[in-house]
Coordinates of all heavy atoms in Angstrom, one line a residue:
R72 N 3.0 -0.9 -16.5 CA 2.5 -2.3 -16.2 C 3.6 -3.3 -15.9 O 4.7 -3.2 -16.4 CB 1.7 -2.9 -17.4 CG 0.4 -2.3 -17.7 CD -0.4 -2.9 -18.8 NE -1.4 -2.2 -19.2 CZ -2.6 -2.1 -18.5 NH1 -2.8 -2.7 -17.4 NH2 -3.7 -1.2 -19.0
S73 N 3.3 -4.2 -14.8 CA 4.4 -5.1 -14.4 C 4.9 -6.0 -15.6 O 6.0 -6.4 -15.5 CB 3.9 -5.9 -13.3 OG 2.7 -6.7 -13.7
D74 N 4.0 -6.2 -16.7 CA 4.4 -7.0 -17.8 C 5.7 -6.5 -18.4 O 6.5 -7.3 -19.0 CB 3.3 -7.1 -18.8 CG 2.2 -7.7 -18.3 OD1 2.0 -8.2 -17.2 OD2 1.0 -7.6 -19.0
Y75 N 6.0 -5.1 -18.3 CA 7.1 -4.6 -19.0 C 8.2 -4.2 -18.0 O 9.0 -3.3 -18.4 CB 6.6 -3.5 -19.8 CG 5.5 -3.8 -20.8 CD1 4.2 -3.4 -20.5 CD2 5.7 -4.7 -21.9 CE1 3.1 -3.8 -21.4 CE2 4.7 -5.1 -22.7 CZ 3.4 -4.6 -22.3 OH 2.4 -5.0 -23.3
A76 N 8.1 -4.6 -16.8 CA 9.1 -4.2 -15.7 C 10.5 -4.5 -16.2 O 11.5 -3.6 -15.9 CB 8.7 -5.0 -14.4
Q77 N 10.8 -5.7 -16.8 CA 12.2 -5.9 -17.2 C 12.6 -4.9 -18.2 O 13.7 -4.5 -18.1 CB 12.2 -7.3 -17.8 CG 13.5 -7.8 -18.1 CD 13.6 -9.2 -18.8 OE1 12.6 -10.0 -18.5 NE2 14.7 -9.6 -19.3
Q78 N 11.8 -4.6 -19.2 CA 12.3 -3.6 -20.2 C 12.5 -2.3 -19.6 O 13.4 -1.5 -20.0 CB 11.2 -3.6 -21.3 CG 11.2 -4.9 -22.3 CD 10.3 -5.8 -21.6 OE1 9.9 -5.8 -20.4 NE2 9.8 -6.9 -22.4
V79 N 11.6 -1.9 -18.7 CA 11.7 -0.5 -18.1 C 13.1 -0.5 -17.3 O 13.7 0.5 -17.3 CB 10.5 -0.2 -17.2 CG1 10.7 1.1 -16.3 CG2 9.2 -0.1 -18.1
R80 N 13.4 -1.5 -16.5 CA 14.5 -1.6 -15.7 C 15.7 -1.5 -16.6 O 16.8 -0.8 -16.3 CB 14.7 -2.8 -14.9 CG 13.6 -2.8 -13.6 CD 14.0 -4.0 -12.8 NE 13.1 -4.1 -11.6 CZ 12.1 -5.0 -11.5 NH1 12.0 -5.9 -12.5 NH2 11.3 -5.1 -10.5
S81 N 15.7 -2.1 -17.8 CA 16.9 -2.3 -18.7 C 17.1 -0.8 -19.3 O 18.3 -0.5 -19.3 CB 16.6 -3.2 -19.9 OG 17.6 -3.3 -20.7
V82 N 16.2 -0.1 -19.6 CA 16.3 1.1 -20.3 C 16.7 2.2 -19.3 O 17.6 3.0 -19.5 CB 15.0 1.7 -21.0 CG1 15.2 3.1 -21.5 CG2 14.7 0.8 -22.3
L83 N 16.0 2.1 -18.1 CA 16.4 3.2 -17.0 C 17.6 2.8 -16.2 O 17.9 3.5 -15.3 CB 15.1 3.5 -16.2 CG 13.9 4.0 -17.0 CD1 12.8 4.3 -16.1 CD2 14.3 5.3 -17.8
D84 N 18.1 1.6 -16.4 CA 19.1 1.0 -15.5 C 18.8 1.0 -14.1 O 19.5 1.5 -13.2 CB 20.4 1.9 -15.7 CG 21.7 1.1 -15.2 OD1 21.7 -0.1 -15.1 OD2 22.6 1.9 -14.7
I85 N 17.5 0.5 -13.8 CA 17.1 0.5 -12.5 C 17.5 -1.0 -12.0 O 17.2 -2.1 -12.5 CB 15.6 0.6 -12.4 CG1 15.2 1.9 -12.9 CG2 15.0 0.4 -11.0 CD1 13.7 2.2 -13.1
K86 N 18.2 -1.0 -10.8 CA 18.5 -2.1 -10.2 C 17.4 -2.8 -9.4 O 16.5 -2.1 -8.6 CB 19.7 -2.0 -9.2 CG 20.9 -1.6 -10.0 CD 22.2 -1.5 -9.0 CE 23.4 -1.2 -9.7 NZ 24.6 -1.0 -8.7
K87 N 17.2 -4.0 -9.4 CA 16.1 -4.7 -8.7 C 16.3 -4.6 -7.1 O 17.5 -4.9 -6.7 CB 16.2 -6.2 -9.0 CG 14.9 -6.9 -8.8 CD 14.8 -8.3 -9.5 CE 13.5 -9.0 -9.4 NZ 13.6 -10.3 -9.9
N88 N 15.3 -4.1 -6.4 CA 15.5 -4.0 -5.0 C 15.7 -5.3 -4.3 O 15.2 -6.4 -4.7 CB 14.3 -3.4 -4.4 CG 14.2 -1.8 -4.8 OD1 15.0 -1.2 -5.0 ND2 12.8 -1.4 -4.9
A89 N 16.5 -5.2 -3.2 CA 16.8 -6.5 -2.5 C 15.4 -7.0 -1.8 O 14.6 -6.0 -1.4 CB 17.7 -6.3 -1.4
P90 N 15.1 -8.2 -1.9 CA 13.8 -8.7 -1.2 C 13.8 -8.4 0.2 O 14.9 -8.3 0.8 CB 13.9 -10.3 -1.6 CG 15.3 -10.6 -1.7 CD 16.0 -9.4 -2.3
L91 N 12.6 -8.3 0.7 CA 12.3 -8.0 2.2 C 12.7 -9.3 2.9 O 12.5 -10.4 2.4 CB 11.0 -7.7 2.4 CG 10.5 -6.2 2.0 CD1 9.0 -6.1 2.2 CD2 11.4 -5.2 2.5
S92 N 13.2 -9.0 4.1 CA 13.6 -10.2 4.9 C 12.3 -10.9 5.5 O 11.3 -10.2 5.6 CB 14.5 -9.8 6.2 OG 13.8 -8.9 7.0
P93 N 12.3 -12.1 6.1 CA 11.3 -12.7 6.7 C 10.7 -11.7 8.0 O 9.5 -11.6 8.2 CB 11.7 -14.0 7.3 CG 12.8 -14.4 6.2 CD 13.5 -13.1 5.9
A94 N 11.6 -11.1 8.6 CA 11.3 -10.3 9.7 C 10.5 -9.1 9.3 O 9.5 -8.6 9.8 CB 12.5 -9.9 10.5
A95 N 10.9 -8.6 8.2 CA 10.2 -7.4 7.5 C 8.8 -7.8 7.1 O 7.8 -6.9 7.3 CB 10.9 -6.9 6.4
F96 N 8.6 -9.0 6.6 CA 7.2 -9.4 6.2 C 6.3 -9.6 7.4 O 5.2 -9.3 7.4 CB 7.3 -10.8 5.3 CG 7.7 -10.6 4.0 CD1 8.8 -11.1 3.5 CD2 6.8 -9.9 3.1 CE1 9.1 -10.9 2.1 CE2 7.3 -9.8 1.7 CZ 8.3 -10.3 1.3
E97 N 6.9 -10.1 8.5 CA 6.2 -10.3 9.7 C 5.7 -9.0 10.4 O 4.5 -8.8 10.8 CB 7.0 -11.1 10.7 CG 7.1 -12.6 10.4 CD 7.9 -13.4 11.3 OE1 8.2 -12.8 12.4 OE2 8.2 -14.5 11.0
V98 N 6.7 -7.9 10.3 CA 6.3 -6.5 11.0 C 5.3 -6.0 10.0 O 4.3 -5.4 10.5 CB 7.6 -5.8 10.9 CG1 7.3 -4.3 11.2 CG2 8.5 -6.3 12.1
L99 N 5.4 -6.1 8.7 CA 4.3 -5.6 7.7 C 3.0 -6.2 8.0 O 2.0 -5.4 8.1 CB 4.8 -5.8 6.3 CG 5.7 -4.8 5.6 CD1 6.0 -5.2 4.1 CD2 5.0 -3.4 5.6
A100 N 3.0 -7.4 8.3 CA 1.7 -8.3 8.4 C 1.2 -7.7 9.8 O -0.1 -7.4 9.9 CB 2.0 -9.6 8.5
V101 N 1.8 -7.6 10.9 CA 1.3 -7.1 12.2 C 0.7 -5.7 12.0 O -0.3 -5.4 12.5 CB 2.4 -7.1 13.2 CG1 2.0 -6.5 14.5 CG2 2.8 -8.6 13.4
V102 N 1.5 -4.8 11.3 CA 1.1 -3.4 11.2 C -0.1 -3.4 10.3 O -1.2 -2.7 10.6 CB 2.2 -2.6 10.6 CG1 1.7 -1.1 10.3 CG2 3.4 -2.5 11.6
A103 N -0.1 -4.2 9.2 CA -1.2 -3.9 8.2 C -2.6 -4.4 8.8 O -3.6 -3.7 8.5 CB -0.9 -4.9 7.0
Y104 N -2.6 -5.4 9.7 CA -3.8 -5.9 10.2 C -4.2 -5.3 11.4 O -5.3 -5.4 11.9 CB -3.7 -7.5 10.4 CG -3.7 -8.2 9.0 CD1 -2.6 -8.7 8.4 CD2 -5.0 -8.7 8.7 CE1 -2.8 -9.4 7.3 CE2 -5.1 -9.4 7.5 CZ -4.0 -9.8 6.9 OH -4.1 -10.5 5.6
N105 N -3.4 -4.4 12.1 CA -3.6 -3.9 13.4 C -3.4 -2.3 13.5 O -3.7 -1.8 14.5 CB -2.7 -4.6 14.5 CG -3.1 -6.0 14.6 OD1 -4.0 -6.5 15.2 ND2 -2.3 -6.8 13.9
Q106 N -3.2 -1.8 12.3 CA -2.7 -0.3 12.4 C -3.9 0.7 12.8 O -5.1 0.3 12.6 CB -2.3 0.1 11.0 CG -3.3 0.0 9.9 CD -2.5 0.2 8.5 OE1 -2.0 1.2 8.2 NE2 -2.6 -0.8 7.7
P107 N -3.6 1.8 13.4 CA -2.1 2.2 13.7 C -1.6 1.6 14.9 O -2.4 1.2 15.9 CB -2.3 3.7 13.8 CG -3.7 3.9 14.3 CD -4.5 2.9 13.7
V108 N -0.4 1.2 15.0 CA 0.2 0.4 16.1 C 1.5 1.2 16.6 O 2.2 1.8 15.8 CB 0.4 -1.0 15.8 CG1 -0.8 -1.7 15.6 CG2 1.3 -1.2 14.8
T109 N 1.9 1.1 17.7 CA 3.2 1.4 18.2 C 4.3 0.4 18.0 O 3.9 -0.8 17.8 CB 3.1 1.7 19.7 OG1 2.9 0.5 20.5 CG2 2.0 2.8 20.1
K110 N 5.4 0.9 18.1 CA 6.6 -0.1 17.9 C 6.6 -1.2 19.1 O 6.8 -2.3 18.9 CB 7.9 0.7 18.0 CG 9.2 -0.2 17.9 CD 10.5 0.6 17.8 CE 10.9 1.2 19.1 NZ 11.3 0.3 20.1
A111 N 6.3 -0.6 20.2 CA 6.1 -1.6 21.4 C 5.0 -2.7 21.2 O 5.3 -3.9 21.6 CB 5.7 -0.8 22.7
Y112 N 4.0 -2.4 20.5 CA 2.9 -3.3 20.2 C 3.6 -4.4 19.3 O 3.3 -5.7 19.4 CB 1.7 -2.7 19.5 CG 0.7 -3.7 19.2 CD1 -0.3 -4.3 20.1 CD2 0.5 -4.1 17.9 CE1 -1.3 -5.2 19.8 CE2 -0.5 -5.1 17.5 CZ -1.3 -5.6 18.4 OH -2.2 -6.4 18.1
V113 N 4.2 -4.0 18.3 CA 4.8 -5.0 17.3 C 5.9 -5.8 17.9 O 5.8 -7.0 17.8 CB 5.4 -4.1 16.1 CG1 6.2 -5.0 15.1 CG2 4.5 -3.3 15.4
E114 N 6.6 -5.2 18.8 CA 7.6 -6.0 19.5 C 6.9 -7.0 20.5 O 7.5 -8.0 20.7 CB 8.6 -5.0 20.3 CG 9.4 -4.2 19.3 CD 10.2 -3.2 20.1 OE1 9.9 -2.9 21.2 OE2 11.2 -2.7 19.4
Q115 N 5.8 -6.6 21.1 CA 5.2 -7.5 22.1 C 4.6 -8.7 21.2 O 4.7 -9.9 21.7 CB 4.0 -6.8 22.6 CG 3.3 -7.6 23.8 CD 2.3 -6.7 24.4 OE1 1.7 -5.8 23.9 NE2 2.0 -7.0 25.6
I116 N 4.2 -8.5 20.0 CA 3.7 -9.7 19.2 C 4.8 -10.5 18.7 O 4.7 -11.7 18.8 CB 2.9 -9.1 17.9 CG1 1.6 -8.2 18.3 CG2 2.5 -10.3 16.9 CD1 0.6 -9.1 19.0
R117 N 5.9 -10.0 18.3 CA 7.0 -10.6 17.7 C 7.9 -11.2 18.8 O 8.8 -12.1 18.6 CB 7.7 -9.9 16.6 CG 6.9 -9.5 15.5 CD 7.8 -9.0 14.3 NE 8.6 -10.0 13.7 CZ 10.0 -10.0 13.8 NH1 10.6 -9.0 14.4 NH2 10.6 -11.1 13.3

Side-chain angles (χ1 to χ4, degrees):
R72 292 190 189 275
S73 58
D74 297 350
Y75 307 108
Q77 181 178 348
Q78 291 87 345
V79 171
R80 286 194 184 101
S81 176
V82 171
L83 299 182
D84 194 25
I85 299 175
K86 294 183 178 180
K87 203 171 186 179
N88 289 330
L91 295 176
S92 67
F96 279 116
E97 289 180 9
V98 169
L99 273 179
V101 173
V102 175
Y104 282 96
N105 298 276
Q106 62 187 303
V108 296
T109 63
K110 180 174 72 72
Y112 177 82
V113 178
E114 291 175 342
Q115 187 173 28
I116 294 296
R117 299 194 63 243

